[in-house]
Amino acid sequence: DAKTTQPPSMDCAEGRAANLPCNHSTISGNEYVYWYRQIHSQGPQYIIHGLKNNETNEMASLIITEDRKSSTLILPHATLRDTAVYYCIVRVVGSSNTGKLIFGQGTTLQVKP
Amino acid sequence: EAQVTQNPRYLITVTGKKLTVTCSQNMNHEYMSWYRQDPGLGLRQIYYSMNVEVTDKGDVPEGYKVSRKEKRNFPLILESPSPNQTSLYFCASSRRSEANVLTFGAGSRLTVL
């Protein structure tokens, strides 16, 4: 699986958009980008995933660059409850050990009032 | 409500006393897995199961056993716990068609003295 690089921490003002970057320059054509978050010591929570098109759901938007070497997770109106560690994970779909995700160090997002 | 339920949530035990952490999901998911989370090491997969009676080792299986006799349950067994198994444990499940979209339990914090 391709390696991902994320900034260790970011701040965001409450009510503003939070833009979390992820670099995955060695991503291959059959690898998807997944985003999860973990609020302090709770179980990780799935947010969104995509292959090459931009994706949006009720939680967030995922913007993937045309060359797929990087992506940005956007929380459109961050609240204090969005304070968490955000993980960007690249993973092949359909590999032998599906469901195994490699969680790196992630980005700690601090939403401030 | 769709969920993964783990019990116990908190446990303090002593070296060598066998224990079982239960995991149950109500989403009819085929895939289930166990992770442990330790400071500085992130989340690491212990065991996984692709369906009933099918289990396999993850990255850190030593000292653990699992079974998958029913689709909904995937207990984690520590036959002879040791202090290095003090950790935060998460059970997760997913559908076969979306195996990397995991639903995690709330976690079980285990302390072995």
Side-chain angles (χ1 to χ4, degrees):
Chain A
D1 300 321
K3 182 180 174 180
T4 62
T5 303
Q6 299 177 252
S9 64
M10 293 180 64
D11 289 342
C12 177
E14 188 178 20
R16 304 297 293 270
N19 296 281
L20 293 96
C22 180
N23 187 294
H24 32 78
S25 58
T26 61
I27 193 170
S28 58
N30 61 349
E31 290 182 309
Y32 283 67
V33 180
Y34 294 82
W35 283 85
Y36 281 75
R37 72 180 182 183
Q38 186 175 24
I39 297 169
H40 181 63
S41 293
Q42 296 181 21
Q45 178 188 25
Y46 164 79
I47 302 172
I48 199 167
H49 74 283
L51 181 62
K52 55 183 178 181
N53 297 323
N54 297 338
E55 302 287 345
T56 296
N57 64 19
E58 65 279 3
M59 289 183 68
S61 294
L62 173 61
I63 308 298
I64 303 174
T65 58
E66 194 168 340
D67 63 7
R68 301 209 323 123
K69 293 182 186 294
S70 65
S71 60
T72 301
L73 178 75
I74 301 171
L75 307 178
H77 305 286
T79 71
L80 299 178
R81 287 178 295 182
D82 291 320
T83 292
V85 179
Y86 287 78
Y87 298 99
C88 169
I89 301 165
V90 170
R91 183 70 174 151
V92 172
V93 172
S95 61
S96 60
N97 184 0
T98 48
K100 174 182 175 179
L101 300 178
I102 308 297
F103 289 82
Q105 297 306 307
T107 296
T108 299
L109 175 68
Q110 182 74 47
V111 180
K112 299 187 173 182
Chain B
E1 180 188 353
Q3 59 186 357
V4 176
T5 303
Q6 299 178 222
N7 280 295
R9 294 289 316 281
Y10 302 90
L11 179 64
I12 300 174
T13 189
V14 296
T15 299
K17 185 176 181 181
K18 179 180 179 180
L19 69 92
T20 299
V21 186
T22 64
C23 174
S24 180
Q25 50 94 5
N26 62 0
M27 296 165 282
N28 202 36
H29 284 170
E30 292 86 6
Y31 291 107
M32 298 187 75
S33 59
W34 277 100
Y35 287 79
R36 62 178 287 176
Q37 185 171 30
D38 302 287
L41 296 176
L43 283 136
R44 295 176 292 169
Q45 192 187 57
I46 304 170
Y47 267 96
Y48 67 98
S49 169
M50 299 176 81
N51 215 325
V52 175
E53 302 291 0
V54 180
T55 64
D56 210 341
K57 297 177 181 178
D59 292 327
V60 288
E62 296 77 22
Y64 305 95
K65 288 174 62 175
V66 293
S67 67
R68 187 91 183 272
K69 295 186 174 67
E70 306 163 285
K71 197 172 188 179
R72 62 184 294 126
N73 296 323
F74 191 45
L76 180 70
I77 303 157
L78 286 73
E79 293 271 2
S80 183
S82 62
N84 64 12
Q85 292 178 297
T86 292
S87 188
L88 180 58
Y89 292 87
F90 292 104
C91 181
S93 71
S94 60
R95 292 184 299 164
R96 189 202 319 268
S97 58
E98 289 276 16
N100 297 325
V101 179
L102 292 166
T103 300
F104 282 82
S108 296
R109 187 169 291 280
L110 171 65
T111 301
V112 183
L113 302 176

